Amino acid sequence: MSAFLHDALRGLVLVGGLIAFGVALRAAYAWRDERERVGLVMALALLMLLGMGLNLAAFGAARPGAGWTGWLRIATDAALPVLVLLLLQAMRRRVLAAERAALASPFDPVTDLARRPLFLRHAATTLALCRQTRVPATMLAVAIDDPAALEAAHGKEARRAALRGLAGVLADALGPADPTGMLAEDVPGALLAGQDIVAARATAARLSALVREQVADPRMDGRGLGVSIGLAAVGDGAEQAVLEEAASGALRALAGAQAAGGAAIGEAPAPPPRRATAP
C-alpha cells in the first residue's frame, strides 16, 4: 500500500513537472525575440527535464525497509515545478509592468519619438507660428510597407530595427522647424511647416529615396527599405482640432498608398474652408 501511495504521489509530481515544462516552452516562444529572457526560460525548462528524469528514476523507491528518505524526496522534487512556475509568473509580471510603463510614457520606446498627444501639442506651437507668418503646413505620415510580413519572416527585432532606421532618417531629413512624432503604432509623422501639398509631395519623394538609400531592408536582398507616405494639408480652425483632422487624413492617405501596392505617396482630400478662430 505504501509503495502504491508513493508512486501515486510521484505521478502527481511528474504531471506538475510536465505542466511547468509546457509553460516554460510557451513562454520561450512568446519571448522568442528577447534572447536573454529566452535563455533563462530554456534553462528552467532543462532544469525541469532533469527533475522529471530524476522523478521517474525514483518510482518504486518506497519499498519495505527503504525508510522515510523516499517520502522526503517527494516533497523536494515537488518543490521544483512549483518554483519554476513561480519564477515564470514573476517574469511575466515584470514584462507586463514594463509594457504598461512603456504605454504610459509620452515617448515611443522603439523610436524615442513623442507619441501622438505630445507630438500634436508640439505641432500646435509650430502651426501657430505658421499662421502668424501666413504660410501653409502639411501633415506627413510614413510607414514601412508590410511590417507584419517583415516580422513574420525575420522576427520582431528586425521590424523594430527597420522602424528605428526610418524614424532616424525622418528626423535627420527635416529641419528643426518641423516637429516629428508618432501618429500611430509603427507610423512616424511630421508637421511640414511652410509647405503646401505640392512642396510636401517633393519632400515625401526625397524622404522615400533617403530611406531606401540609408536603411537596408532586413530581407537582405540588396534593396533599401520600402515605405509609403500619406500627406494631408492642415486647414483653418482651432489648432488642436485641425491637427487631429490632418493627422487622421494623413493616416488614411497612407493606408490608401499601402493598399495600392506600397512604395507610394497618397494625398488626403483638401480640408473644408472654415474660419481660423471662433467669432
Side-chain angles (χ1 to χ4, degrees):
M1 181 64 184
S2 63
F4 173 78
L5 180 60
H6 175 274
D7 288 349
L9 292 175
R10 280 282 171 198
L12 291 176
V13 172
L14 181 60
V15 171
L18 288 172
I19 292 173
F21 181 71
V23 172
L25 291 182
R26 184 176 179 182
Y29 179 77
W31 298 329
R32 59 191 178 278
D33 294 309
E34 308 291 339
R35 291 185 179 180
E36 293 183 0
R37 195 175 297 153
V38 169
L40 177 57
V41 172
M42 290 309 297
L44 292 175
L46 291 175
L47 182 62
M48 278 310 313
L49 280 179
L50 177 61
M52 286 188 290
L54 294 174
N55 185 57
L56 284 171
F59 270 88
R63 294 292 181 255
W68 53 269
T69 55
W71 298 95
L72 181 61
R73 283 188 58 187
I74 294 180
T76 57
D77 291 347
L80 180 59
V82 173
L83 178 61
V84 168
L85 289 172
L86 288 175
L87 287 173
L88 290 171
Q89 182 64 19
M91 290 177 65
R92 186 176 291 108
R93 287 178 178 173
R94 288 188 61 182
V95 171
L96 291 175
E99 290 176 350
R100 284 194 294 267
L103 290 174
S105 170
F107 295 93
D108 180 74
V110 176
T111 63
D112 291 329
L113 295 177
R115 283 199 169 105
R116 180 165 171 159
L118 180 59
F119 165 52
L120 293 185
R121 286 200 295 271
H122 292 165
T125 302
T126 300
L127 181 59
L129 293 175
C130 289
R131 287 176 170 177
Q132 289 177 8
T133 54
R134 298 182 182 276
V135 297
T138 301
M139 188 68 72
L140 176 148
V142 56
I144 301 166
D145 286 330
D146 204 357
L150 174 62
E151 180 173 332
H154 299 279
K156 187 180 297 183
E157 188 51 43
R159 178 185 61 80
R160 290 174 177 170
L163 181 58
R164 280 192 293 268
L166 168 58
V169 172
L170 176 65
D172 291 342
L174 302 179
D178 303 319
T180 58
M182 299 297 292
L183 288 177
E185 185 179 5
D186 290 349
V187 183
L191 181 67
L192 305 179
Q195 297 190 33
D196 60 12
I197 198 72
V198 176
R201 193 182 306 130
T203 298
R206 177 172 63 90
L207 175 62
S208 180
L210 285 173
V211 173
R212 284 196 303 270
E213 177 184 330
Q214 299 181 21
V215 184
D217 192 297
R219 286 171 275 259
M220 303 299 291
D221 55 3
R223 296 179 301 171
L225 188 68
V227 297
S228 291
I229 297 175
L231 301 172
V234 180
D236 297 327
E239 290 159 1
Q240 201 66 35
V242 296
L243 285 171
E244 288 283 0
E245 176 186 65
S248 298
L251 289 173
R252 286 193 296 270
L254 170 65
Q258 291 178 321
I265 299 172
E267 298 177 15
R274 59 174 73 90
R275 295 176 60 89
T277 57

